[in-house]
Amino acid sequence: MNSEQWIAKADKYIMKTYGRYPIVPVRGEGSILWDVDGKRYLDFLAGVAVNNLGHCHPKVVAALQHQAAELIHCSNYYHIPSQIELAEILCSHSFADKAFFCNSGAEANEAAIKLARKYSREKYGPERYEIITAVESFHGRTMATVSATGQEKVQRFFDPLLHGFKHVPFDDAAALEAAVNPTTCAIMLEPIQGEGGVNIPSSGYLREVRSICDRHGLILILDEVQVGMGRTGKLFAYEHFGISPDIMTLAKALAGGAPIGTMLARDEYAAAFTPGTHGSTFGGNPLVTAAAVATVRTLLEDGLLNRAEEMGEYLQGELELLKKKYPVILEVRGIGLMIGMKLSIPGGDIVKKGHDRGVLLNVTHDTVLRFVPALTVTKQEVNEMIGILDGILAEIR
Ligand SMILES: *Cc1c(COP(=O)(O)O)cnc(C)c1O
C-alpha cells in the first residue's frame, strides 16, 4: 500500500486525537526517516525528543533482539535483572537512591504525584496534599497530569479536574513562594518547559525554588521527561542549575524508542511506596529495560553528552544567522539540542513546507519552532536542514 491508501485506512479506523501530517514513515536510520513511498526525510523532531540515539541505533536494536528471544515479560511479582541494572545506572548517575518503572511520562508523573501525597500525608497529615506547578507546563494526558498541566487547551472538556493543583507563572520565584500555603506538599516543574515553547528559566530560578522547598519542607519534583537523557548536553537538565530535586521523572528518550517511564527518588521519599501502594503490569519489563540499559550506556560511553552540547551550539549559531536575515524570527533559545525559535507568526506553514522539502520540523505553542534532533545528528545534516529552512523563510517573509 502507498501512503495515500494507508491514510485513507487510518481515517476509517484511528481515533483523531492527533492532527496527523500525511506522512507514513516505515524505516529509520540515525537522523533519516523514509516513508512508505520511499521519500527521504531529515528528522529534526526525533519522535518528539525520543530518538536521542537516532533511529534504530544498532546497540538498541541488538539489545531488543537479544532480549526478545530470552524473555519479554514476566511481571513485577519477580525480580528483573535488566530493570535492576537500569535502576543502578540511573541512581549512580543522579541524586536518586531508588527507581520505580512504568510505561510513559504521564505515568511517571502520576507516580510522583502519588508518592508526594502519600509521603506528606504520613508525615504531616491529610491536609497537606496540594502541588504547585507552572503556567504553560506540560505533565501528561491522564486526569492527574492534565490537572497538573498549566495549559487550558489540555484541560478543557475534562472538568472536574483533580483537586489539589495550583498554577503559578514559570520563572517567578516570588509568585511561587506567595502561593505556598499550609496545604502545599510539593512543587513540580519542568527545568525547561518543552511543550510550553522551550522556555528556559533565568539563572538562579531553580536555586530559589530549591530554597523555597527547603524552607517550607516541600518536595521538589522535576519533570525531566523531555529534557533528561542527554538532550541538554548533561545527562539530566538539573545539573545545569546547581541543584538537585527530591523526585524526578523520565520517559521519552530513556529506552531508545521503547515505551518506558521512571520515577526516581531519594530514599526518604521512596520509602513511602510500600508493597501494594502503587504498581504497573508492564512497568520496567525485561524487554524495555534491556533497551534502556543499552540506551543509557551508549549515551554515556559514546561521548554523546559532549556531542549534544557541541552540535547544540552549532545549530543555535546557524539559527542565529537566520535570525539576522529574517525579522519573523524573534528569538533563538536553547540548551544543548533542546532549541526553540520564536516566530512572530504561526509556524504551521513552515512545518508543512519542510515536509514537502524532506525535513521534519515541529512547532509547539503555535509560534515556536522546536528543534530536538538526535544527539548523533551531524554537521552536514544540520547544514542541509538550515539550507531548507533558509529557503522556506525566504519565501514567507
Ligand atoms: C511528553 C511529556 C510528558 C508526557 O509523556 P507521555 O509519555 O506522553 O505520557 C510529560 N512531561 C513532559 C515534560 C513531556 O514532555
Side-chain angles (χ1 to χ4, degrees), residues 104-106 109 138-140 190 195 223 225-226 252:
S104 67
N109 288 331
F138 182 78
H139 298 294
E190 297 156 87
E195 303 304 304
D223 176 347
V225 167
Q226 184 159 158
K252 289 191 164 79

Side-chain angles (χ1 to χ4, degrees), residues 4 14 56 102 209 236 253 256 275 335 375:
E4 222 169 279
I14 301 292
C56 298
C102 50
V209 172
F236 305 116
I335 304 184
L375 313 188

Side-chain angles (χ1 to χ4, degrees), residues 6 24 28-29 69 131 151 154 165 168 171 176 184-185 193 204 228 237 241 314 329 334 349 357 367 377 393:
W6 279 117
V24 185
E29 191 183 322
I131 298 178
Q151 297 189 47
V154 173
F165 291 92
V168 298
D171 200 16
L176 181 62
T184 310
C185 78
Q193 291 187 330
F241 300 102
Y314 182 69
I329 303 172
D349 276 355
R357 291 162 214 206
T367 56
V377 72
L393 289 164

Side-chain angles (χ1 to χ4, degrees), residues 8-147:
K9 207 189 271 275
D11 234 34
K12 186 154 182 240
Y13 291 111
I14 301 292
M15 285 200 201
K16 301 195 189 320
T17 52
Y18 284 84
R20 291 173 199 262
Y21 298 110
I23 299 172
V24 185
V26 289
R27 195 161 66 81
E29 191 183 322
S31 286
I32 310 296
L33 267 186
W34 289 271
D35 76 6
V36 71
D37 306 321
K39 181 168 171 181
R40 172 188 180 273
Y41 292 92
L42 200 47
D43 188 0
F44 273 75
L45 180 57
V48 196
V50 166
N51 301 106
N52 284 13
L53 300 183
H55 292 286
C56 298
H57 191 285
K59 287 185 185 156
V60 178
V61 172
L64 280 167
Q65 284 176 335
H66 174 80
Q67 189 60 48
E70 293 285 325
L71 182 67
I72 294 174
H73 182 83
C74 62
S75 94
N76 282 307
Y77 290 133
Y78 312 108
H79 294 278
I80 298 169
S82 50
Q83 182 186 110
I84 300 163
E85 241 183 313
L86 178 60
E88 182 185 26
I89 300 172
L90 292 174
C91 290
S92 64
H93 285 90
S94 73
F95 71 95
D97 300 307
K98 296 244 180 341
F100 165 80
F101 291 103
C102 50
N103 314 289
S104 67
E107 278 177 87
N109 288 331
E110 284 273 346
I113 292 164
K114 286 178 72 176
L115 184 65
R117 282 197 175 184
K118 184 164 185 294
Y119 171 89
S120 298
R121 158 180 286 264
E122 282 161 5
K123 184 159 182 188
Y124 301 104
E127 306 76 28
R128 192 146 155 159
Y129 56 82
E130 187 180 79
I131 298 178
I132 302 176
T133 72
V135 173
E136 309 295 3
S137 61
F138 182 78
H139 298 294
R141 297 288 192 164
T142 61
M143 277 311 304
T145 57
V146 156
S147 306

Side-chain angles (χ1 to χ4, degrees), residues 341-354:
M341 182 189 241
K342 171 97 178 135
L343 305 171
S344 60
I345 54 165
D349 276 355
I350 295 175
V351 171
K352 284 194 182 133
K353 283 179 196 277

